[in-house]
Amino acid sequence: MDADSDVALDILITNVVCVFRTRCHLNLRKIALEGANVIYKRDVGKVLMKLRKPRITATIWSSGKIICTGATSEEEAKFGARRLARSLQKLGFQVIFTDFKVVNVLAVCNMPFEIRLPEFTKNNRPHASYEPELHPAVCYRIKSLRATLQIFSTGSITVTGNLDLMHTCSELHHSLLMDAALSCVGSRSSSSGPNVKAVATAVEQIYPFVFESRKEIL
Amino acid sequence: MTGRVCRGCGGTDIELDAARGDAVCTGCGSVLEDNIIVSEVQFVENSGGGSSAVGQFVSLDGAGKTPTLGGGFHVNLGKESRAQTLQNGRRHIHHLGSQLQLNQHCLDTAFNFFKMAVSKHLTRGRKMAHVIAACLYLVCRTEGTPHMLLDLSDLLQVNVYVLGKTFLLLARELCINAPAIDPCLYIPRFAHLLEFGEKNHEVSMTALRLLQRMKRDWMHTGRRPSGLCGAALLVAARMHDFRRTVKEVISVVKVCESTLRKRLTEFEDTPTSQLTIDEFMKIDLEEECDPPSYTAGQRKLRMKQLEQVLSKKLEEVEGEISTYQDAIEIELENSRPKAKGALANLSKDGSGEDATSSPFCEEDTEDEELEAAASHMNKDFYRELLGADGGSEAAEDADGGSRPLALESLLGPLPTAASLGISDSIRECISSPSGDPKDSSGDGELDLSGIDDLEIDRYILNESEARVKAELWMRENAEYLREQKEKEARIAKEKELGIYKEHKPKKSCKRREPILASTAGEAIEKMLEQKKISSKINYSVLRDLNSKGGGSPPRDDSQPPEHTSTKKLSRRKRAATRNSADPGTSMGKRLRPLVSAQPAKKAAVGEIMAVMVTRMMATEWNSRPGSIPVLDSKCICL
């Protein structure tokens, strides 16, 4: 009991999703032919480009929008995005690096105890939903931080910060969902996106409730 | 207020709403009755000599709304569509519920959930079957019936996660807190399906005891309840000498064989499995085990520690490898200064022809590779002399082809860095001639700190590599390319034949403007032109009535058209109720609650026609087939 109050929790960021625009049309066929680290997905009209350092996978659309996934920090995501832009410049495109934004952060945090999911769900009813037939974790939503937490019985908590498309995007300008997300990002430049501080605050908020439903060690 | 007593809480404070036709208890809020029109039952004598009840059912959505023509016509249309949606929903709920063997109370609750979903527009963008299944599952969870989401998924042949998503959305939007699933709910159902006969109860009790033990050992958290039920029932059946195979349990419980085996293995790891049957039935262990996933995580950590120990042992071997690596690096460093020396001598003595050749002669005697490189550079050097260029420029561009040499000769002697920069600019201009200002602005915005251009160059292929990659891509996507060619050929063929039709985007249906007419006859004409109310009404007879009624002049022109038509319609309705014949009297009695009492005026032929249309519209809301023959006979009489 006494030691629990002094436990230091490690929050490990495992994925950062960011987007930016090149403000010029990209010839996907040219990128596919001249790039050594690209995969051309003709069916969906996109090119996947992979960087080794930092380890990033980028989805390149012909409209000039690029989605980077796989970074483990925001600085790494920015650095990888700039290297991608430089690669496209080397291929001959007039790249203008604009509208860089982090749209999603995925973090993992391990509690030193096990959690009783049914009891936790009953105590935090409006925000927590637990459906063992669908998913083994409790889905807990924090509206103010725009964070979604997946709480497992072993004490592992996965925090995801993402934009709420249904509330922020009244009409979709593109047929693809990712393009819709990008439109929302572009139109909401004043709002703050997900970041590491929001993830840490989410974990701080959830700790007292999780602590109440922990497994008692006899 | 009535002397009625509420069934739920026993209170007598009951509120009656005549407009909506329902009775609500103000204490607990339960709806006692929702179809109050009249409390009397009247009978009339029909032509066959028997008696029939007077009256008809009024739709919930239609109650409290007076039917009107003109501007309010579309409200009725909207109501009718809503009523049809609810009717279809009720029918589907009863159909699905009967397959799941739910009782009437559950079906009514599911229909109430469906009505709430429809009123909140949660059915938009989703299939009706999914919403109905989600409502039924919501009832199963709130009422505690032993039904799984997998059962509904099985009946509808829909992905269970699609139904789950719809269910979660409904539960969140309707603010309904479904209680957590207890695996004990399913034990009697599965035991009954496994046909244990007289010992069904005993086997169920043993399975319940096993399940309680599993729950205490944290085996149920995060797991589907059916898997645990299957494992518990299998063990209980074996305890009571029933030879139930794994396949039989799997078919009843609807889980995979590996899932059942995994649950049994996890149960084997708990201390309960060490007890004998008699000990298990008597002793209750106090300990709790860790969750199985936690145990698996601990095992993984132990494996990592073992790997660390192995890596420490490998450090000795790595020492030898590093020694070899150092030796190789030393040899490489020894070979590099010689080349540097040769290049330095070459650059220093570039101006003189005789001085340049003498260092080459000296180096030839030392190393064969250096000799080959020197001869190669010497050849390029001699070629440049023919071009009459400077010696240093020629030496630096020895590796390039003829085209860069020409460019360099045109530009004349320049520093190395500037030369490379200009070459890059020229290449970019050739690729996109009109991109110069954008290129400079783009370079300005991109921050290149920390970016290594040499590393990025390795990502770009040359021409031969690009050709090879194109061939590989064509081979992998040959099927897709063939489909594209066939599609284009088909389109071209259809264009030649003239059959091809381009897919035009569907136009969004425009909203109809409210009907503006000066007379009732004109309004009815426009309404009939836009849409026919029902396929069971004889419209030709209505047209004959319309032609007769069209001749009557308007009574008052100074009033607004809508107000005038509404007022006239109400007057004609009241007049018709009093002046109609005996068959019309019963019709008038049925519609009496909808008509307010006011003085009436003279009736005309057009008025009778308007009232007939009103009655037909009112009849349609009730959707009773019994009332249509009377209506048809009325039309025939007219």
Side-chain angles (χ1 to χ4, degrees):
Chain A
M1 290 298 180
D2 300 335
D4 286 332
S5 59
D6 295 330
V7 169
L9 301 173
D10 292 327
I11 300 174
L12 183 67
I13 297 179
T14 56
N15 192 10
V16 176
V17 181
C18 62
V19 296
F20 70 95
R21 297 210 294 155
T22 58
R23 293 185 64 185
C24 68
H25 282 287
L26 302 175
N27 189 340
L28 298 184
R29 180 178 170 83
K30 182 176 182 180
I31 299 175
L33 285 180
E34 298 187 8
N37 55 343
V38 300
I39 300 170
Y40 188 22
K41 303 278 187 179
R42 182 63 185 84
D43 301 350
V44 291
K46 67 180 182 182
V47 164
L48 297 182
M49 181 182 278
K50 291 174 182 286
L51 299 183
R52 178 171 294 139
K53 185 178 181 180
R55 188 184 295 268
I56 272 177
T57 300
T59 300
I60 301 172
W61 306 92
S62 62
S63 61
K65 291 173 180 170
I66 298 176
I67 302 160
C68 305
T69 58
T72 54
S73 69
E74 293 185 0
E75 295 81 14
E76 194 175 276
K78 184 69 177 291
F79 181 64
R82 289 196 287 111
R83 296 188 80 233
L84 281 163
R86 184 59 180 167
S87 299
L88 293 174
Q89 275 188 359
K90 285 299 191 73
L91 287 169
F93 298 102
Q94 315 303 319
V95 171
I96 301 172
F97 188 80
T98 54
D99 293 337
F100 177 81
K101 197 171 199 56
V102 173
V103 296
N104 200 343
V105 176
L106 181 69
V108 177
C109 176
N110 276 308
M111 298 290 170
F113 43 78
E114 287 131 24
I115 301 166
R116 300 179 191 276
L117 301 185
E119 183 182 335
F120 174 80
T121 307
K122 191 181 297 181
N123 295 336
N124 304 275
R125 174 50 70 178
H127 306 284
S129 74
Y130 170 55
E131 295 294 333
E133 287 184 279
L134 297 171
H135 193 57
V138 169
C139 179
Y140 187 93
R141 294 178 178 274
I142 302 176
K143 288 262 182 168
S144 57
L145 298 174
R146 298 180 178 278
T148 301
L149 290 86
Q150 305 280 323
I151 302 167
F152 295 85
S153 61
T154 58
S156 173
I157 296 180
T158 301
V159 188
T160 303
N162 59 349
L163 296 174
D164 202 338
L165 294 182
M166 303 303 290
H167 294 283
T168 57
C169 189
S170 59
E171 55 180 357
L172 304 179
H173 302 286
H174 303 275
S175 59
L176 292 176
L177 183 60
M178 291 308 293
D179 282 339
L182 295 176
S183 303
C184 298
V185 171
S187 63
R188 297 177 62 250
S189 57
S190 60
S191 68
S192 62
N195 47 33
V196 182
K197 294 180 181 178
V199 168
T201 311
V203 174
E204 288 173 8
Q205 283 194 12
I206 206 67
Y207 187 84
F209 306 123
V210 166
F211 192 78
E212 291 172 3
S213 305
R214 75 190 185 282
K215 177 191 177 187
E216 297 281 350
I217 301 176
L218 301 177
Chain B
M1 297 301 174
T2 326
R4 194 177 301 177
V5 179
C6 177
R7 294 186 236 96
C9 63
T12 56
D13 191 8
I14 295 168
E15 181 180 343
L16 293 171
D17 194 332
R20 293 188 301 183
D22 54 16
V24 180
C25 175
T26 55
C28 61
S30 65
V31 180
L32 300 181
E33 192 173 349
D34 55 357
N35 285 321
I36 298 174
I37 302 297
V38 290
S39 57
E40 310 169 6
V41 179
Q42 304 179 8
F43 295 90
V44 295
E45 185 176 346
N46 53 16
S47 59
S51 299
S52 61
V54 176
Q56 56 194 357
F57 293 105
V58 178
S59 171
L60 291 178
D61 302 303
K65 280 258 183 175
T66 305
T68 54
L69 292 176
F73 182 72
H74 302 288
V75 177
N76 301 327
L77 281 180
K79 279 293 181 179
E80 185 176 350
S81 173
R82 175 71 62 88
Q84 283 185 357
T85 302
L86 293 180
Q87 189 181 0
N88 287 334
R90 180 188 287 270
R91 178 161 43 86
H92 283 305
I93 284 171
H94 276 78
H95 180 66
L96 260 184
S98 61
Q99 296 186 43
L100 292 170
Q101 298 175 4
L102 292 170
N103 53 25
Q104 188 64 35
H105 172 65
C106 294
L107 296 183
D108 293 339
T109 310
F111 184 59
N112 287 331
F113 286 150
F114 182 71
K115 281 197 285 185
M116 293 165 69
V118 169
S119 65
K120 287 201 170 186
H121 305 295
L122 298 177
T123 56
R124 294 185 178 180
R126 289 176 193 84
K127 290 192 174 181
M128 183 67 71
H130 295 177
V131 177
I132 285 164
C135 295
L136 278 169
Y137 186 63
L138 206 50
V139 169
C140 295
R141 290 285 296 275
T142 50
E143 299 292 334
T145 61
H147 292 98
M148 299 184 294
L149 192 61
L150 204 58
D151 299 328
L152 288 156
S153 171
D154 195 11
L155 285 176
L156 294 175
Q157 297 293 309
V158 175
N159 191 332
V160 67
Y161 297 107
V162 175
L163 284 186
K165 190 180 291 185
T166 308
F167 163 73
L168 287 176
L169 177 89
L170 276 186
R172 187 175 74 242
E173 291 294 330
L174 301 181
C175 302
I176 293 167
N177 298 328
I181 293 175
D182 193 355
C184 301
L185 276 177
Y186 303 112
I187 289 288
R189 171 186 165 192
F190 294 147
H192 177 70
L193 288 174
L194 284 169
E195 297 175 356
F196 292 118
E198 297 176 356
K199 286 195 171 182
N200 188 21
H201 181 72
E202 297 176 8
V203 176
S204 299
M205 287 296 112
T206 306
L208 285 172
R209 188 176 178 85
L210 284 163
L211 205 56
Q212 295 289 340
R213 186 66 242 171
M214 289 175 179
K215 287 171 69 178
R216 203 170 299 148
D217 288 334
W218 287 70
M219 282 180 63
H220 82 294
T221 308
R223 270 60 185 295
R224 290 189 177 181
S226 53
L228 292 175
C229 291
L233 276 169
L234 188 65
V235 174
R238 301 288 173 84
M239 281 182 175
H240 289 271
D241 300 328
F242 284 97
R243 291 181 60 257
R244 293 291 178 270
T245 61
V246 173
K247 281 188 179 179
E248 292 170 359
V249 175
I250 282 168
S251 63
V252 166
V253 168
K254 298 176 184 174
V255 295
C256 187
E257 183 180 358
S258 60
T259 302
L260 198 65
R261 195 188 309 117
K262 197 178 293 183
R263 298 287 171 268
L264 292 171
T265 306
E266 289 166 0
F267 186 64
E268 188 180 0
D269 294 334
T270 61
T272 308
S273 60
Q274 309 302 322
L275 304 175
T276 60
I277 295 176
D278 295 334
E279 287 173 358
F280 171 73
M281 302 305 284
K282 295 174 182 176
I283 297 173
D284 276 335
L285 296 179
E286 298 295 335
E287 302 168 0
E288 285 186 358
C289 293
D290 291 327
S293 53
Y294 185 79
T295 308
Q298 292 291 318
R299 196 177 300 119
K300 287 181 181 178
L301 286 179
R302 212 174 299 117
M303 291 297 291
K304 284 186 179 179
Q305 291 177 0
L306 281 179
E307 289 176 359
Q308 287 179 2
V309 172
L310 288 177
S311 65
K312 288 179 181 178
K313 294 181 180 178
L314 286 174
E315 283 178 1
E316 299 178 359
V317 184
E318 286 176 359
E320 296 181 9
I321 295 172
S322 62
T323 306
Y324 292 137
Q325 186 176 0
D326 293 337
I328 292 168
E329 286 176 357
I330 290 169
E331 291 179 1
L332 288 176
E333 287 175 359
N334 290 333
S335 62
R336 283 174 189 173
K338 296 178 182 179
K340 281 190 176 180
L343 289 174
N345 290 331
L346 184 63
S347 62
K348 286 178 181 177
D349 300 329
S351 60
E353 180 178 359
D354 294 334
T356 304
S357 60
S358 58
F360 287 156
C361 295
E362 293 176 359
E363 293 293 339
D364 285 343
T365 59
E366 295 180 0
D367 194 354
E368 292 182 358
E369 291 184 358
L370 193 58
E371 182 180 2
S375 62
H376 181 63
M377 285 188 285
N378 199 1
K379 291 177 183 178
D380 291 329
F381 176 70
Y382 288 139
R383 191 185 305 160
E384 285 304 312
L385 283 180
L386 295 178
D389 283 335
S392 61
E393 298 293 338
E396 288 168 359
D397 293 329
D399 294 332
S402 61
R403 192 178 182 185
L405 291 173
L407 291 173
E408 289 297 324
S409 63
L410 288 175
L411 291 173
L414 287 173
T416 305
S419 173
L420 288 177
I422 291 172
S423 298
D424 291 336
S425 301
I426 289 170
R427 272 192 227 103
E428 287 177 355
C429 288
I430 290 169
S431 62
S432 60
S434 64
D436 270 344
K438 290 184 180 179
D439 186 11
S440 60
S441 63
D443 283 332
E445 288 197 16
L446 184 61
D447 185 10
L448 298 180
S449 63
I451 292 178
D452 190 1
D453 279 355
L454 295 179
E455 184 184 359
I456 292 179
D457 285 335
R458 278 189 265 121
Y459 287 140
I460 301 172
L461 304 170
N462 53 32
E463 289 184 3
S464 60
E465 291 169 346
R467 201 178 308 112
V468 171
K469 190 177 181 184
E471 289 176 3
L472 278 176
W473 190 87
M474 294 290 186
R475 197 179 309 143
E476 285 192 1
N477 295 269
E479 185 176 352
Y480 174 79
L481 294 174
R482 195 187 320 120
E483 288 178 1
Q484 290 293 310
K485 287 181 180 178
E486 290 176 0
K487 189 176 179 182
E488 289 177 0
R490 194 189 318 127
I491 290 174
K493 188 176 181 181
E494 288 177 356
K495 280 186 177 178
E496 289 177 359
L497 298 177
I499 302 170
Y500 182 71
K501 296 179 181 178
E502 294 184 0
H503 299 285
K504 298 179 180 179
K506 294 182 179 179
K507 299 178 181 178
S508 60
C509 53
K510 301 176 182 178
R511 294 199 172 186
R512 298 171 192 164
E513 299 175 358
I515 298 175
L516 301 176
S518 57
T519 60
E522 189 177 345
I524 292 167
E525 283 179 7
K526 289 186 177 180
M527 183 190 66
L528 291 178
E529 285 173 3
Q530 289 180 3
K531 182 179 179 181
K532 294 188 173 182
I533 298 170
S534 173
S535 61
K536 299 166 182 173
I537 293 175
N538 193 351
Y539 288 101
S540 58
V541 177
L542 289 182
R543 289 196 193 93
D544 296 338
L545 295 177
N546 190 18
S547 62
K548 293 176 183 178
S552 65
R555 194 160 301 176
D556 192 346
D557 292 334
S558 63
Q559 295 179 1
E562 293 181 3
H563 186 63
T564 304
S565 64
T566 306
K567 206 168 184 180
K568 288 178 181 177
L569 285 175
S570 60
R571 290 173 188 169
R572 289 162 186 172
K573 240 184 306 179
R574 291 190 292 268
T577 54
R578 296 192 177 185
N579 298 337
S580 58
D582 287 338
T585 305
S586 62
M587 184 72 73
K589 285 183 180 178
R590 298 173 199 175
L591 294 175
R592 189 166 294 164
L594 303 176
V595 178
S596 60
Q598 281 191 17
K601 294 187 177 182
K602 268 192 174 181
V605 178
E607 293 170 353
I608 293 174
M609 179 187 62
V611 174
M612 287 306 301
V613 173
T614 306
R615 287 180 184 173
M616 284 182 283
M617 291 166 58
T619 305
E620 265 205 330
W621 297 334
N622 305 320
S623 302
R624 291 197 69 198
S627 60
I628 293 175
V630 179
L631 194 63
D632 290 343
S633 63
K634 193 67 179 177
C635 295
I636 294 169
C637 291
L638 291 175

